[in-house]
Every structure is written in C-alpha cells, then in structure tokens.
Amino acid sequence: MPLTDMPLEELRAYRPGVPEPRDFDDFWAGTLAAARAAGGGTAEYRPVAGVRLASVDVYDVRFPGWGGQPVAAWLLVPRGAAAPLPAVVTYQGYGGGRGLPVEHLLWSAAGYAHLVVDSRGQGHDTPDPDPVPAPQWVGGFMTRGIESPADHYYRRLMTDCVRAVDALREHPAVDAARIVVHGGSQGGGLALATAGLAGDTVAAALVDVPFLCHYRRGADVSSAGPYGELVHYLGVHKRVDPARVFETLNYFDGQHFAPRASAAALFSVALMDPVCPPSTVYAAYNGYAGDKDITVWEFGDHGGGRASQSVVQLDWLAGGGLGAQG
C-alpha cells in the first residue's frame, strides 16, 4: 500500500456519493423490530470465579440477539466502583471472538463497565445457526448470503451489536445515558453501524480503521484482507452480476449508517493501511452526522495507532467526548 490511496487533502473532501437503498430505513427498522419481538429472555450475567483479578469483577454474559438467539459476551466491572458507571461496548475484528477476560482490562481499569461482545460464527462461544454457507474456498463471511440483503451474514451480526446495547442499558451498574460503542477494523465498522442504528441510546463512538465502509472502493484498491473475498468471489462466479452483489452490500455500508448517527465520534485512519484503505474510512467519516474528530496515523498500517490510539481515546472521552463524567 502506498502512503495514501489519495492525497490527504483529497481524502478530507472525498464523498463518493454511493446511492443508498430506497428502503434502507424500512429494512433496518423491520430487522430490529423482528429481533426485539423474537424474545429470547433477558440478558444473563454469571459471575466468573477463579480469574485471579483483584480489581475487576467478571461476568459471563448471554443476551438475546438476532432471532432471540443467545450471544456471548464478557462484562467487566471495576470492583467497588460506585454505580452507575459509563460503559464501553467492544466489537471484534474480522475472524475474532470475545477471547478471554484477561485480554480486555483497559476499560475497566479506566473506570468503565466493559461489555466485550462475541461475533457469531467467528468466535468460539456464539454459533451462527442459520447462515447461508459461503463457498468453501472463500474461508470468510463476506459472501454469506451475498445475493440478498435478507440473507446476508452482516444483517445478523449487526443486529446482535444493537441488541448488545439494548441489553447493557438494563444493567444496574450502567449509566444508560453514557454508553460508548467501540472497535477496530470489523469492530470499527460494527461500532459505526450501531451508532447509526441505535440512535440516541449511544452517547459516543470510537471507530478505529473501520472495515465495512465503501465496499466497492475496498474491492478496487485494498491489497490485503477481507475485501479480497469479494474480488475472488466475483472473479470465479462469472454468472453473478457484480451490481447485484454491491446492491446487497449497500444495506451494510458504513457510508449509509454515518448520516444517521448522532453520537459524538472519534475515528482513526492509517494512511498506509492495505486492509481498510483510507479512502474507505473517509467515505464514511465525511458523511458522519454527529460531532466528530479523526486521528490520522500517517505511517500506520492496519494496526492504526495501536496503544497510542487508546491513550487518545481515553483523553477524548475524559475531555468531553462522553459529556460530563461526574
């Protein structure tokens, strides 16, 4: 990947103007209404013993997601902290799951309740019972149900992400007015989608080097990562109309969630990112409707700013990104 796929001044003005589906709002309103009506009970929080962490209480969580199906998560709460607490909801990168609690100590150490959400079919703890299987050679999730928005994998996963916020708002340790959605790469794209779909139930969004933005541009210029699955699929399936594929993906594109988001947002972009090229990030960022800022890592690859971005995020939230912290 070169330093940029566009000069920075062009990135800052880049608005590709990809038309959104005419029924975009109806599609997502119906999807979320169906998920909430499907039941599945209330979220369950089971204390985890034996983790040998002196400053945090850990809970193994199951909350109802798509179709009322149980989705796994961890909840980490600072031990002895006075409720209600601001909370961070973290979504995972492509191919990853919730992992182990010891991998997720930053936010609880900073005084936040922290919900770490598994990704259905990608992590070890949340199956995807009803996928439309991708061809075996793809080895990923991008093309599952690619011929129809109703069947596409990201319809289910993005629904889970919104339902995670629904569940966390009901927890007695959490201040429902101060919920932050957070993630990098796929997790960044999911945080952006949730900010667009969950409305004012999300107070802030931390969107790092987001995937799932401007799919066509990603397929055209990325040199590594999951956008290549689209290239492979369309290269092999000659009878499949590329326009139909990208029409499906338009229902899951960060460009179309961004104008619907009202939460304050801190994005990050890496100008040497071969996986999520900076033009795909700016396609969403430039259309974001809420208060926003972006950290530019001039020589960053897909890792973005790594731990340095976490420091920026902590400062941004404390400095007003989440409002008064009490």
Side-chain angles (χ1 to χ4, degrees), residues 48 51-59 75-80 101 104-105 108-109 112 114:
V48 178
V51 292
R52 300 187 185 280
L53 297 173
S55 61
V56 62
D57 293 319
V58 180
Y59 300 86
L75 178 64
L76 293 86
V77 180
R79 185 168 298 165
H104 306 288
L105 298 179
S108 58
Y112 296 82
H114 186 200

Side-chain angles (χ1 to χ4, degrees), residues 23-160:
D23 64 341
F24 183 89
D25 290 319
D26 289 341
F27 173 83
W28 278 109
T31 295
L32 295 176
R36 289 169 176 140
T42 58
E44 298 180 358
Y45 300 87
R46 296 182 291 274
V48 178
V51 292
R52 300 187 185 280
L53 297 173
S55 61
V56 62
D57 293 319
V58 180
Y59 300 86
D60 185 9
V61 182
R62 296 295 184 280
F63 67 87
W66 162 268
Q69 296 163 0
V71 179
W74 300 117
L75 178 64
L76 293 86
V77 180
R79 185 168 298 165
L85 297 170
V88 173
V89 183
T90 294
Y91 308 115
Q92 309 309 312
Y94 196 74
R98 65 174 179 164
L100 298 174
V102 294
E103 300 175 77
H104 306 288
L105 298 179
L106 171 66
W107 292 106
S108 58
Y112 296 82
H114 186 200
L115 188 72
V116 182
V117 181
D118 208 29
S119 294
R120 63 170 52 235
Q122 298 185 39
H124 294 291
D125 302 314
T126 307
D128 188 20
D130 52 356
V132 177
Q136 291 183 354
W137 48 261
V138 172
F141 301 89
M142 291 289 288
T143 60
R144 288 191 176 179
I146 196 68
E147 308 247 346
S148 166
D151 296 331
H152 197 258
Y153 170 79
Y154 279 103
R155 185 185 187 205
R156 299 189 293 280
L157 182 56
M158 289 177 175
T159 298
D160 292 344

Side-chain angles (χ1 to χ4, degrees), residues 91-93 154 158 161 181-197 206-213 215 227 252-255 257-258 267 276 284:
Y91 308 115
Q92 309 309 312
Y154 279 103
M158 289 177 175
C161 293
V181 290
H182 161 259
S185 191
Q186 175 184 259
L190 295 173
L192 175 57
T194 304
L197 291 171
L206 303 174
V207 182
D208 286 333
V209 292
F211 180 45
L212 311 174
C213 298
Y215 290 86
Y227 287 123
F252 311 100
D253 194 322
Q255 292 179 97
F257 295 118
F267 284 65
C276 296

Side-chain angles (χ1 to χ4, degrees), residues 173-234:
V174 169
D175 182 347
R178 292 189 291 164
I179 291 180
V180 183
V181 290
H182 161 259
S185 191
Q186 175 184 259
L190 295 173
L192 175 57
T194 304
L197 291 171
D200 59 7
T201 64
V202 171
L206 303 174
V207 182
D208 286 333
V209 292
F211 180 45
L212 311 174
C213 298
H214 199 353
Y215 290 86
R216 180 55 194 256
R217 178 72 179 174
D220 285 344
V221 304
S222 68
S223 59
Y227 287 123
E229 293 175 16
L230 299 173
V231 176
H232 197 176
Y233 180 86
L234 292 169

